[in-house]
Amino acid sequence: LEKFEGIGRRFNLLAELHALGLDADTIVIFTSDNGSRARDEGGSNEPLRGEKATAWEGGLRVPCIVRWPGHVPAGEVRSDLTTAMDLLPTLAALCDAEVPGDRTIDGRDISALLLAAADATSPHEAFWYYLTDQLHAVRAGRWKLHVFRDGAAVEELYDLVDDPGETVDVAPSHPEVVAELLGHAERARAELGDAGTGRVGAGRRPVGEVADPVPLTTFDPAHPYYLAEYDLTDMG
């Protein structure tokens, strides 16, 4: 680990971009892996509920900070629903590039949100929370409906604006919202399937494959990244 000590102090990405004259022409995006496991490693997802590998917000919500001088307004905060899948079509749009037209692209162009257009809203009508091949929850706007957990069907509704920690189930007082989100859940099952209900799905995405794949890295048990992994016991 000694040879890596101090790298963060000696190298600053933004300073390097400025020195190379690329600062104004570079979009810098900061995000992270999802959800601390919140076990005994010292991680926490508070004030959000849940941990990694759950459909609670603490297991899935991540930060996203975007910097593009002269284009993305400094200090602007948006709470619209977006996902990491949106990065592909968004960056393609900003760079005047085309996304593949021979496959389903689940992400949406959110460049209007990043550029703070006055009338910009989330392009997602709904978002589906899957764990492996099971639908666990669905969200539309401020509302999130949990439909499956711990091997059983549930029907719990949470208001993520007033209650981002998902502490109060408001399904009994909003039956119309529950019905709307159940409709979104049915569309998810029809397209992607749902092992929890035995649905197959007519539009399941094919597994990505690479012809003649070549490993990009080699295993090194002494590498700092490997030594720092917290889930080695889980992985075996």
Side-chain angles (χ1 to χ4, degrees):
L1 295 177
E2 289 80 1
K3 63 181 178 180
F4 293 88
E5 186 177 7
I7 284 182
R9 293 194 299 272
R10 295 197 303 269
F11 180 76
N12 183 291
L13 177 61
L14 297 181
E16 190 73 7
L17 289 172
H18 181 75
L20 294 172
L22 300 173
D23 184 60
D25 297 321
T26 302
I27 303 171
V28 177
I29 301 174
F30 171 84
T31 184
S32 76
D33 188 14
N34 62 293
S36 163
R37 298 192 311 168
R39 298 183 190 172
D40 299 321
E41 302 88 12
S44 171
N45 301 315
E46 292 184 356
L48 303 178
R49 181 176 180 179
E51 60 189 33
K52 185 183 289 291
T54 71
W56 300 111
E57 291 297 286
L60 291 162
R61 193 180 294 201
V62 298
C64 182
I65 302 173
V66 181
R67 180 183 185 272
W68 189 16
H71 300 274
V72 175
E76 183 80 12
V77 177
R78 302 300 300 250
S79 58
D80 305 83
L81 174 63
T82 60
T83 105
M85 295 185 293
D86 297 331
L87 292 178
L88 170 62
T90 300
L91 293 176
L94 292 173
C95 297
D96 295 324
E98 294 185 3
V99 297
D102 60 347
R103 69 206 68 180
T104 300
I105 302 296
D106 291 296
R108 300 287 184 268
D109 176 9
I110 59 169
S111 56
L113 289 174
L114 299 185
L115 303 178
D119 58 348
T121 59
S122 172
H124 294 279
E125 181 182 11
F127 180 76
W128 304 327
Y129 298 74
Y130 272 84
L131 181 60
T132 62
D133 55 355
Q134 290 188 334
L135 179 67
H136 279 232
V138 60
R139 177 180 175 182
R142 68 189 296 160
W143 304 106
K144 180 177 175 184
L145 182 72
H146 290 253
V147 296
F148 192 87
R149 187 184 314 116
D150 298 329
V154 297
E155 197 171 283
E156 299 174 5
L157 180 69
Y158 296 94
D159 181 346
L160 296 184
V161 173
D162 291 339
D163 181 27
E166 297 171 282
T167 62
V168 180
D169 174 17
V170 295
S173 57
H174 294 282
E176 74 290 350
V177 177
V178 172
E180 177 187 351
L181 269 67
L182 285 175
H184 288 305
E186 279 304 298
R187 282 187 283 279
R189 292 172 178 133
E191 182 174 356
L192 298 179
D194 178 18
T197 56
R199 302 284 289 277
V200 175
R204 297 181 66 176
R205 316 300 190 244
V207 175
E209 296 182 348
V210 176
D212 302 318
V214 177
L216 299 179
T217 60
T218 56
F219 173 69
D220 180 1
H223 193 280
Y225 178 79
Y226 177 80
L227 294 175
E229 286 190 17
Y230 61 76
D231 55 357
L232 289 178
T233 54
D234 290 349
M235 298 173 62

